[in-house]
C-alpha cells in the first residue's frame, strides 16, 4: 500500500497543515493505541517532545487519542528522543512517542513512534497504522469505564541523566575539561549541560533558552557557527552541537574545526576494536557516508556495511547482523550496547573518554582520515517521477561508468520533501563537480527546478 503519512522517520510536516494537524494526531493516538492494546493489563504510553510551539497542540491531541483508546499516558515534557526510547523500556510502556521534527525549523513537527522494546516501529506496523487511519477508527474506542488517565512525570528526566552518565567508562571523569555545548534551543536544554557538569566538566552552554520558535535557529548541529565562535571565545577543549531532539551530534575541536559523524564513527570503531568490544568486525553506515571512511576502516581490517538513508535502516542492519556501532554522516550515532536509537550525548561521551584516556586534543583524535571530495545538490520537483525518465536514467548510467572504481554516485528522492538528492564523490574534485552539474541539469529539465 502507498505510504501516505509515514516517511523515513515517522510522520512529519508543517504544523497545522496535513498531516501535522491535531485531528490526525488524535487519530494516530487511537490507531496506535488500538494496535498495542494487547492483553488485559493497564496499557501505558510515554510521550516526550522537543520545544516547538506546536508541541503543546500535538501533545494534547495525542493524549486525547491514546486515553480514548484506553491507554494511560505519562507525559515527559521536553526530553531527547533517545530518552523516550530508553524510558519506554524502563517504564514498561507499550508504546513510546516523541513529538519532534528533529533538525527541521520550528514550524515543522513530527511524531516518532517506538515499540515496547525501545526500537522504532517496523514498516509492517506503520502500514497497519496507516490502514487504520484510512478507516472509521471511532469504533475502536474504549468503553467509558476503560478510558485512560494522563499525568505529567517531570522527574523521569533524571533517569535518563543517570543512564547517560553510566555510559562513560568507570575509570574516566571529565574533570579538567572545558566543554562548550549547543543544545539547539531544543529537547536537551536541561539534561545535556547537567549530565556533563555532574561528570566533572566545566560546562559553557549556548542554545539553552527555548521560546517555542527558536529551535535549530542559527544553532545546533545544522548551524555550528555559533558554537565554533563560542569554542574560540572561551578556549574550550571541545564543542558539542546537538540537534533539536538530541539524537544527532557534531563535534567542534579546540581549533574550531567541524568533526562530522563519519569521523566520529571512525574514532569509536577504531577505539572499540582496540578494546576488543567492537562487534561485527566493522560498522554500519548509509550510502551517504564518505568513501574516505570506508578506506580508513578497510586499512584497519574492518568493514563498512551500507544501508539506505535513515537511522532506522542502520539500526535494522545492526540488529540483523550483530553490529554495535552504526550511524550517519549527519551525526546520528547508534551505539547498541547502550541504546536503541541515535543518541548525540552518549556518542559525545565516547569521544570525551578517548580524549581523557589518551591525553590528546580533540583535533588529534578526531581526524582519522582525509574525506574524499563529496558534493551534494538537491533538485526540487513539482510532480511526476523524474528518476524514471529515460534521459535521466541514461545520464546516471553514463556518470556511473565514468566514475568506475574512483568514486561513488548516489541519487535518491528525499523521504520528507519533494527533492531529488544528487551526491557524487571521488578523488578528482573537478570531475565530480562536472558530473553533479550535468546530472542536476538533466533532472531539473524534467518538470523540476534546481535547489
Amino acid at each position: 500500500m502507498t505510504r501516505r503519512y509515514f516517511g523515513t522517520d515517522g510522520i512529519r510536516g508543517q504544523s497545522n497543515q496535513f498531516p501535522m494537524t491535531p485531528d490526525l494526531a488524535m487519530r494516530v493516538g487511537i490507531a496506535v493505541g488500538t494496535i498495542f492494546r494487547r492483553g488485559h493489563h493497564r496499557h501505558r504510553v510515554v510521550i516526550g517532545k522537543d520545544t516547538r510551539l506546536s508541541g503543546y497542540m500535538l501533545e494534547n491531541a495525542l493524549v486525547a487519542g491514546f486515553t480514548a483508546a484506553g491507554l494511560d499516558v505519562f507525559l515527559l515534557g521536553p526530553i531527547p528522543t533517545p530518552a523516550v526510547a530508553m524510558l519506554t523500556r524502563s517504564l514498561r510502556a507499550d508504546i513510546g512517542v516523541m513529538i519532534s521534527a528533529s533538525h527541521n525549523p520550528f514550524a515543522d513537527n513530527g511524531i516518532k513512534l517506538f515499540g515496547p522494546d525501545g526500537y522504532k516501529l517496523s514498516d509492517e506496523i506503520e502500514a497497519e497504522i496507516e490502514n487504520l487511519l484510512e478507516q472509521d477508527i471511532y469504533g475502536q474506542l474504549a468503553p467509558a469505564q476503560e478510558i485512560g488517565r494522563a499525568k505529567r512525570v517531570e522527574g523521569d528526566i533524571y533517569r535518563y541523566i543517570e543512564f547517560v552518565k553510566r555510559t562513560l567508562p568507570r575509570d574516566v571523569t571529565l574533570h579538567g575539561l572545558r566543554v562548550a555545548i549547543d543544545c539547539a534551543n531544543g529537547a536537551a536544554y536541561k539534561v545535556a549541560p547537567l549530565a556533563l557538569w555532574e561528570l566533572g566538566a566545566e560546562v559553557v552552554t549556548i542554545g539553552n533558552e527555548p521560546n517555542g520558535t527558536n529551535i535549530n535557529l542559527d544553532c545546533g548541529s545544522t548551524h555550528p557557527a555559533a558554537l565554533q565562535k563560542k569554542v574560540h571565545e572561551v578556549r574550550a577543549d571541545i564543542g558539542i552541537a546537538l540537534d533539536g531532539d538530541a539524537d544527532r551530534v557534531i563535534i567542534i575541536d579546540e581549533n574550531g574545526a567541524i568533526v562530522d559523524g563519519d569521523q566520529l564513527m571512525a574514532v569509536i570503531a577504531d577505539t572499540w576494536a582496540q578494546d576488543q568490544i567492537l562487534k561485527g568486525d566493522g560498522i554500519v553506515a548509509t550510502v551517504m557516508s564518505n568513501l574516505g571512511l570506508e578506506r580508513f576502516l578497510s586499512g584497519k581490517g574492518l568493514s563498512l556495511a551500507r544501508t539506505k538513508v535513515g537511522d532506522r535502516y542502520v539500526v535494522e542492519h545492526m540488529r540483523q547482523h550483530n553490529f554495535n556501532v552504526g550511524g550517519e554522516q549527519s551525526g546520528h550515532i547508534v551505539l547498541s550496547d547502550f541504546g536503541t536509537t541515535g543518541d548525540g550525548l552518549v556518542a559525545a561521551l565516547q569521544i570525551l573518554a578517548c580524549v581523557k584516556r589518551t591525553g590528546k586534543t580533540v583535533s588529534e583524535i578526531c581526524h582519522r582520515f582525509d574525506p574524499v571530495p563529496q558534493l551534494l545538490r538537491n533538485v526540487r520537483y513539482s510532480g511526476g517521477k523524474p528518476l524514471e525518465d529515460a534521459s535521466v536514467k541514461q545520464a546516471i548510467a553514463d556518470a556511473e561508468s565514468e566514475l568506475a572504481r574512483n568514486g561513488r554516485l548516489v541519487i535518491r528522492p528525499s523521504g520528507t520533501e519533494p527533492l531529488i538528492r544528487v551526491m557524487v564523490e571521488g578523488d578528482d574534485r573537478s570531475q565530480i563537480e562536472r558530473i553533479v552539474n550535468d546530472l542536476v541539469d538533466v533532472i531539473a529539465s524534467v518538470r523540476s527546478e534546481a535547489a
Side-chain angles (χ1 to χ4, degrees):
M1 111 181 213
T2 302
R3 294 166 68 91
R4 187 181 180 199
Y5 304 101
F6 285 92
T8 55
D9 195 13
I11 304 171
R12 189 176 296 186
Q14 187 166 343
S15 302
N16 263 351
Q17 296 184 21
F18 181 85
M20 293 315 302
T21 62
D23 175 67
L24 184 73
M26 183 178 69
R27 290 170 61 83
V28 167
I30 297 171
V32 175
T34 298
I35 291 171
F36 283 86
R37 193 175 59 210
R38 300 162 178 164
H40 299 290
H41 64 281
R42 290 297 300 178
H43 296 79
R44 55 172 57 177
V45 54
V46 297
I47 300 179
K49 63 181 180 178
D50 62 24
T51 57
R52 293 164 209 270
L53 183 61
S54 57
Y56 295 99
M57 172 186 76
L58 296 172
E59 180 183 58
N60 283 303
L62 284 163
V63 169
F66 279 115
T67 53
L71 278 73
D72 294 332
V73 180
F74 291 72
L75 295 168
L76 305 174
I79 196 167
T81 289
V84 172
M86 186 275 288
L87 288 168
T88 300
R89 291 177 294 156
S90 178
L91 294 171
R92 292 187 67 184
D94 299 275
I95 192 77
V97 183
M98 179 64 180
I99 305 169
S100 176
S102 193
H103 59 282
N104 285 25
F106 93 94
D108 293 340
N109 217 329
I111 299 172
K112 302 181 183 183
L113 299 167
F114 297 90
D117 57 1
Y119 287 98
K120 291 180 180 178
L121 302 185
S122 67
D123 289 340
E124 292 74 22
I125 294 179
E126 288 183 350
E128 190 176 350
I129 295 169
E130 292 221 352
N131 185 49
L132 277 178
L133 290 174
E134 294 297 311
Q135 301 176 18
D136 179 9
I137 58 174
Y138 293 106
Q140 305 289 341
L141 300 183
Q145 69 273 17
E146 295 180 13
I147 292 173
R149 304 173 186 270
K151 66 177 179 178
R152 196 163 292 279
V153 284
E154 301 280 357
D156 276 6
I157 66 171
Y158 299 104
R159 290 199 195 198
Y160 174 67
I161 290 174
E162 289 304 315
F163 156 76
V164 167
K165 288 162 60 179
R166 287 196 300 271
T167 67
L168 190 71
R170 291 192 175 190
D171 63 327
V172 175
T173 72
L174 304 185
H175 290 287
L177 286 181
R178 180 174 295 167
V179 178
I181 183 164
D182 183 350
C183 300
N185 292 314
Y189 80 99
K190 292 180 181 179
V191 301
L194 183 56
L196 291 167
W197 181 82
E198 290 183 358
L199 287 168
E202 177 187 346
V203 183
V204 178
T205 308
I206 63 173
N208 62 330
E209 298 180 355
N211 62 15
T213 62
N214 63 357
I215 185 171
N216 299 316
L217 181 61
D218 299 324
C219 60
S221 63
T222 51
H223 300 91
L227 184 59
Q228 290 174 293
K229 181 179 179 182
K230 181 58 68 172
V231 167
H232 277 301
E233 179 184 318
V234 302
R235 296 184 180 181
D237 297 296
I238 189 173
I240 300 171
L242 303 173
D243 70 335
D245 68 336
D247 65 351
R248 67 166 71 179
V249 64
I250 294 296
I251 296 295
I252 307 299
D253 72 20
E254 76 282 2
N255 300 316
I258 295 172
V259 182
D260 68 10
D262 283 348
Q263 294 283 359
L264 299 181
M265 287 188 284
V267 174
I268 296 170
D270 191 20
T271 302
W272 284 21
Q274 293 178 38
D275 292 342
Q276 298 184 335
I277 58 174
L278 184 69
K279 297 177 183 176
D281 292 324
I283 69 171
V284 182
T286 75
V287 292
M288 300 304 289
S289 277
N290 195 275
L291 184 59
L293 172 61
E294 188 171 350
R295 291 172 176 173
F296 168 80
L297 293 171
S298 178
K300 297 286 183 176
L302 303 173
S303 65
L304 175 62
R306 293 186 184 269
T307 71
K308 294 189 293 185
V309 172
D311 64 312
R312 61 180 298 179
Y313 301 112
V314 171
V315 172
E316 284 176 6
H317 194 91
M318 291 173 67
R319 296 179 72 186
Q320 291 169 2
H321 301 280
N322 196 33
F323 288 86
N324 61 349
V325 177
E328 298 185 281
Q329 188 182 64
S330 60
H332 279 116
I333 310 296
V334 183
L335 306 175
S336 61
D337 287 357
F338 304 128
T340 57
T341 188
D343 192 321
L345 188 54
V346 168
L349 288 181
Q350 297 306 303
I351 304 302
L352 286 166
C354 201
V355 170
K356 288 293 290 185
R357 280 175 161 173
T358 63
K360 295 180 179 179
T361 63
V362 175
S363 61
E364 291 175 303
I365 286 171
C366 290
H367 186 81
R368 296 299 171 108
F369 63 89
D370 291 323
V372 170
Q374 186 180 82
L375 183 59
L376 171 67
R377 285 190 64 189
N378 297 323
V379 185
R380 188 172 298 276
Y381 63 98
S382 56
K385 298 180 178 180
L387 295 184
E388 295 183 8
D389 184 86
S391 62
V392 173
K393 289 183 176 180
Q394 184 60 54
I396 292 172
D398 292 343
E400 289 175 334
S401 177
E402 182 178 349
L403 286 169
R405 297 182 179 180
N406 297 318
R408 289 194 313 124
L409 166 65
V410 178
I411 298 183
R412 65 180 184 88
S414 167
T416 57
E417 301 175 85
L419 299 174
I420 302 295
R421 305 196 188 279
V422 180
M423 190 280 284
V424 180
E425 64 179 356
D427 296 312
D428 185 337
R429 178 174 290 277
S430 61
Q431 180 191 39
I432 69 169
E433 288 177 352
R434 176 177 50 77
I435 291 175
V436 165
N437 291 334
D438 289 347
L439 288 168
V440 166
D441 288 344
V442 173
I443 296 171
S445 68
V446 184
R447 299 178 61 191
S448 53
E449 59 178 304

